[in-house]
Amino acid sequence: MAAGLVAMALPTVPVTAQNQSGTAQAQPTTNNPFGIPDDFSIFDRNSAGERSATAVVNGYVITGTDIDQRVALVTAASENELSSEELERLRVQVLRNLIDETLKIQAAQALELPADRAQIEQTFNQLATQNFGRNPERMTEYLESIGSSPDALKRQIEGELAWENLLRRNITPFVNVSAEEVNDVLQRLEESRGTEEYRLGEIYLSATQENRAEVLQNAQRIMEQLQQGGSFVAYARQFSEATTAVVGGDLGWIRLGQLPTALAAAAREMQPGQLNGPIEIPGGFSILYVINKRQVLMANPNDAVLSLRQIAITFEPDVTQEQAEARVNQFATFVQGLRGCADADRAREELGASVVANDQITAGSLPDQLRNIILQLQVGQTTPPFGSPQEGIRVLMLCGRDDPEDVGAPTFDAVMSQIEQDRINKRAQRYLRDLRNDAYIEYN
């Protein structure tokens, strides 16, 4: 699968303070390998500080417009407006993304493995169908309205498809997994029956000793943007270096033993919907997102199909606090006296309540707090009253529950595919690093 890309913030250089005569004071230091003094002056300061964030990659020009339109794709997925400082940092990240994307496209073209134009158009139209109901024109209108363009999105698609072509030619054929390895995993799965496994999202940023500080800062900024409402899927697609970037960073269902120690320790303390990071692991940093949790080879309670009755009362707009409390107490007492679901309709006549039935609702579709309460109920029991005088007070009564069957172990082929993908991911990261090292890149 194609990899998303990480962008590093460009290092900044401090400008020295000057003494009263205007002469810069510099003191030599010995705690860095180049003997650079702690204080120094920057010559051609305006030029150094005002360069536009564009680049030429092996002769291919990445323009400011390219960066603007790709930034728009990212910011459109965020609910909060970025500050000018955050936006500038994002532009630097996106430039690195575009450089890596260009290297992938060029490498594919050099090996006569370019992305097929028809497939690019097909993928674009599939995205239009998913988001705008078989109407590519509406997709185009939307992209232009946010300051991007169809060409910007198609370029990203081209990069992903070109990378897939390269991996199929240069990586995948050389990854081998033995039957013994697969059987070993299946045996460990069976031994782990009943233990927890996690569906995780990951944004992975590779780092070396030389660029560790810059990559860490970059990861922290991405984390801040996610905490402010940014879409994890969108940021993973744009900035993750793992091959799972193309699917929004989704690692699928895994056990903690399959993760690096630091990631396993972090995930163990997290609940669905939580973010954690950046977490340092061998080779870089990761940002984790827990999508869901379940028990290995066991039925997932969230898949239970419930039959529920909702009993609700409302209040007049001018109700006083005392009147509301009295009505809530009356409602709670009435609900406690119900003898089961067949008795629920009495609430209409005696309280003027509404009673709504839903016989096909999955537990996983309920809010976490309610789901945890309802899964502990017996048939005929109700939740505590919840709500507010403004929105009304309600209870949910459990009238039936169909639990899912225990799931079996994954198939031999599924386990083999997962091991292969992990190894492809590691080799793909090394391959991209080699492309960067061999590239001629000129920054403007």
Side-chain angles (χ1 to χ4, degrees), residues 256-275:
L256 295 187
Q258 299 171 262
L259 295 172
T261 303
L263 293 186
R268 187 175 288 112
E269 303 301 321
M270 297 168 66
Q271 297 300 320
Q274 288 187 332
L275 286 164

Side-chain angles (χ1 to χ4, degrees), residues 42-49 51:
I42 296 292
F43 298 97
D44 191 19
R45 187 176 302 169
N46 290 338
S47 175
R51 293 182 185 274

